[in-house]
Amino acid sequence: LPGLLANSNATLSTSQEISFATSLDSSRKFPALSDSALLDTIQKRTFKYFWDYGHPVSGLARERSNATPETVTTGGSGFGVMALLAGIQRGFISRADGLNRVQTIVSFLKNKAQKFHGAFPHWLNGTTGAVIPFSANDNGADLVETSFLMMGLLTARQYFSGSDAETVSLRNDINSLWNAVEWNWFRQNNQDVLYWHWSPSSNWAINLKVQGWNECLITYVLAAASPTSAISKQVYDIGWARSGSIKNGAQFYNYALPLGENLGGPLFLEHYSFLGINPNGLIDAYANYQTQTKNHTLINYEYCKDNPKNYFGYSDSVWGLTASDIRGGYTASSPTNDQGFIAPTAALSSIPYTPDQSMAALKFYYYVLGDKLFKEYGFVDAFSLDVMKNNGAWFADSHLAIDQGPIIVMIENYRTRLFWNLFMSAPEVKSGLKKLGFTGPGL
């Protein structure tokens, strides 16, 4: 710094670079709360992302807090609809206000939002409903994002079950959106697999098959459940399950992993579909999904405790690798792609599977990291405590709809099973799961 002077008023003769790190301040930053009150606090602050920051015209969830405010996200809005229901249940807003917001969202989706064979794009303009391309060829239908949206809408349909004119009309509008999705058409000329994208200008150019194991189980369940355009079980078995190749079966950290890649991959694979699908007691030809969701989470937890890359800060209270912002970008963090960044949504959205480990993380994030991490819309998207290595201590300045939504929804599933009970009560969902060979409570 040219203006920096010594006590003698002499200037620095050469540039100087000094690196130093302070220790973590482990004092408690907020007053102690009961576990119940703490969960209330986390849910209420996270709810604000979807309520206060919801798009003022469409009511849909904005993609992220640090991007153009016109960009709304289809899948994140499905999670956001569920967050609105949690807000009603927890008394953060009135039922009338919550109903009004869901009506706004559904009306916009029905009357303004662009659709392609009944499916929605990944991003929309929240005022006009026009597609905002996600990439050059991703300017049309996104079947996976549509499935996340439909999961939220069907949950709302089950929640607003009254006989008054307003709720009857809302359910009818949701059904019209649900029935319009041409799931079977997305087999691209009757192949035994679903395709993720279709573009009005580039057709099937992306050519990405929806195959497991990943976050897309919900896509096949809803495609099988459709009253108007259903797929067959064969499409599930050959396409999604890859004729059984979906299975893993190996052990990692002494936990057997039924499905997916070695060490499990990012944790959102066990979050998105299971906001509505209840994995407890759910079994099909390929897995016990209670085992899958719990063991994948425990493998991720044990990996972070083991900390083979020696990142400062990883512990039994600082864990959870999933897709999130990182310094200078975005990545799907996992044990095989560990760059030293922890996303709060990873541990917190896993609370139904690992309640003790998730509560330990929540308490550290809230009490110790405090307002470095806990902001206006809940926990920021990710952080690193790795002060002495490549990352440096870092806290994101962003919140993302697809990460905030699972936090509030999965905490509610942990507390009351609200969303599991609502979504699994839909007759079409039950029939779709049974059609694909699932067994479990209530099926």
Side-chain angles (χ1 to χ4, degrees), residues 396-442:
D397 62 358
S398 55
H399 299 82
L400 276 64
I402 57 170
D403 291 340
Q404 299 307 98
I407 292 174
I408 184 172
V409 171
M410 283 305 221
I411 288 176
E412 194 59 42
N413 276 333
Y414 165 67
R415 301 180 85 178
T416 67
R417 298 194 169 198
L418 174 68
F419 298 105
W420 288 341
N421 291 340
L422 286 169
F423 184 72
M424 298 289 282
S425 73
E428 307 98 314
V429 172
K430 289 182 180 182
S431 65
L433 286 165
K434 287 192 284 188
K435 178 180 179 179
L436 297 181
F438 284 88
T439 61

Side-chain angles (χ1 to χ4, degrees), residues 152-167:
L153 294 179
L154 289 175
T155 303
R157 187 195 72 183
Q158 298 303 106
Y159 184 80
F160 292 110
S161 58
S163 58
D164 58 285
E166 279 193 308
T167 53

Side-chain angles (χ1 to χ4, degrees), residues 247-259:
K247 292 183 179 180
N248 187 308
Q251 288 201 352
F252 306 94
Y253 295 100
N254 297 316
Y255 293 104
L257 183 68
L259 304 173

Side-chain angles (χ1 to χ4, degrees), residues 26-89:
S26 60
S27 67
R28 273 33 185 176
K29 311 304 186 301
F30 296 124
L33 300 169
S34 68
D35 285 0
S36 179
L38 178 58
L39 291 173
D40 285 344
T41 299
I42 304 309
Q43 285 187 287
K44 187 171 187 178
R45 192 75 68 87
T46 308
F47 170 77
K48 287 166 66 68
Y49 183 90
F50 300 98
W51 186 250
D52 293 356
Y53 192 60
H55 193 280
V57 175
S58 64
L60 294 166
R62 285 161 161 150
E63 164 73 7
R64 53 167 59 238
S65 62
N66 61 342
T68 169
E70 282 303 316
T71 301
V72 297
T73 168
T74 300
S77 292
F79 302 167
V81 167
M82 300 169 94
L84 294 174
L85 305 184
I88 298 170
Q89 282 296 101

Side-chain angles (χ1 to χ4, degrees), residues 116-424:
F116 307 88
H117 296 273
F120 292 83
H122 192 128
W123 286 340
L124 290 164
N125 181 294
T127 298
T128 68
V131 175
I132 295 177
F134 190 73
S135 64
N137 292 318
D138 191 356
N139 61 345
D142 185 316
L143 194 65
V144 173
E145 292 287 310
T146 297
S147 66
F148 298 149
L149 176 63
M150 290 298 153
M151 176 172 60
L153 294 179
L154 289 175
T155 303
R157 187 195 72 183
Q158 298 303 106
Y159 184 80
F160 292 110
S161 58
S163 58
D164 58 285
E166 279 193 308
T167 53
V168 170
S169 177
L170 177 67
R171 292 197 302 273
N172 288 339
D173 286 345
I174 290 172
N175 283 334
S176 71
L177 292 168
W178 158 234
N179 291 332
V181 182
E182 299 174 28
W183 303 91
N184 198 52
W185 184 84
F186 284 87
R187 291 168 57 195
Q188 192 185 156
N189 302 318
N190 295 316
Q191 298 176 55
D192 285 325
V193 66
L194 291 171
Y195 280 80
W196 201 304
H197 310 90
W198 180 82
S199 161
S201 58
S202 307
N203 294 306
W204 304 102
I206 296 179
N207 210 40
L208 179 61
K209 296 176 180 179
V210 183
Q211 295 186 299
W213 177 250
N214 54 39
E215 72 273 27
C216 306
L217 176 63
I218 186 67
T219 308
Y220 276 83
V221 170
L222 290 179
S226 171
T228 56
S229 185
I231 61 166
S232 67
K233 184 176 185 294
Q234 178 172 299
V235 178
Y236 176 77
D237 290 328
I238 294 174
W240 169 250
R242 295 181 286 119
S243 301
S245 297
I246 193 174
K247 292 183 179 180
N248 187 308
Q251 288 201 352
F252 306 94
Y253 295 100
N254 297 316
Y255 293 104
L257 183 68
L259 304 173
E261 65 184 82
N262 287 344
L263 291 164
L267 278 179
F268 74 88
L269 308 191
E270 311 303 338
H271 297 157
Y272 293 177
S273 287
F274 297 103
L275 301 187
I277 296 172
N278 184 354
N280 293 292
L282 190 68
I283 299 170
D284 74 350
Y286 308 104
N288 178 316
Y289 292 87
Q290 186 169 346
T291 303
Q292 170 67 25
T293 52
K294 182 170 185 174
N295 284 9
H296 179 184
T297 309
L298 286 168
I299 290 165
N300 198 289
Y301 167 77
E302 292 292 346
Y303 169 87
C304 291
K305 275 177 57 184
D306 187 40
N307 191 17
K309 292 193 172 183
N310 295 312
Y311 289 120
F312 179 80
Y314 280 30
S315 72
D316 58 1
S317 298
V318 178
W319 63 275
L321 302 175
T322 193
S324 74
D325 284 351
I326 62 174
R327 185 194 291 274
Y330 183 91
T331 195
S333 295
S334 72
T336 56
N337 178 34
D338 177 14
Q339 300 182 40
F341 296 90
I342 297 293
T345 190
L348 303 189
S349 301
S350 298
I351 193 168
Y353 315 140
T354 52
D356 292 341
Q357 297 89 337
S358 295
M359 280 298 295
L362 188 158
K363 289 176 180 179
F364 188 91
Y365 299 163
Y366 181 77
Y367 290 119
V368 179
L369 299 183
D371 61 7
K372 287 280 190 185
L373 195 62
F374 195 59
K375 303 286 188 179
E376 181 182 8
Y377 299 133
F379 292 109
V380 300
D381 200 53
F383 66 94
S384 172
L385 300 178
D386 190 40
V387 292
M388 297 305 292
K389 292 184 75 174
N390 294 332
N391 299 323
W394 173 87
F395 294 86
D397 62 358
S398 55
H399 299 82
L400 276 64
I402 57 170
D403 291 340
Q404 299 307 98
I407 292 174
I408 184 172
V409 171
M410 283 305 221
I411 288 176
E412 194 59 42
N413 276 333
Y414 165 67
R415 301 180 85 178
T416 67
R417 298 194 169 198
L418 174 68
F419 298 105
W420 288 341
N421 291 340
L422 286 169
F423 184 72
M424 298 289 282

Side-chain angles (χ1 to χ4, degrees), residues 76-116:
S77 292
F79 302 167
V81 167
M82 300 169 94
L84 294 174
L85 305 184
I88 298 170
Q89 282 296 101
R90 290 283 152 195
F92 305 154
I93 54 171
S94 68
R95 186 180 181 91
D97 285 345
L99 173 61
N100 182 260
R101 177 67 66 89
V102 176
Q103 286 173 318
T104 297
I105 290 169
V106 170
S107 175
F108 185 89
L109 292 170
K110 181 183 176 185
N111 299 313
K112 294 187 86 171
Q114 277 194 274
K115 296 173 278 291
F116 307 88

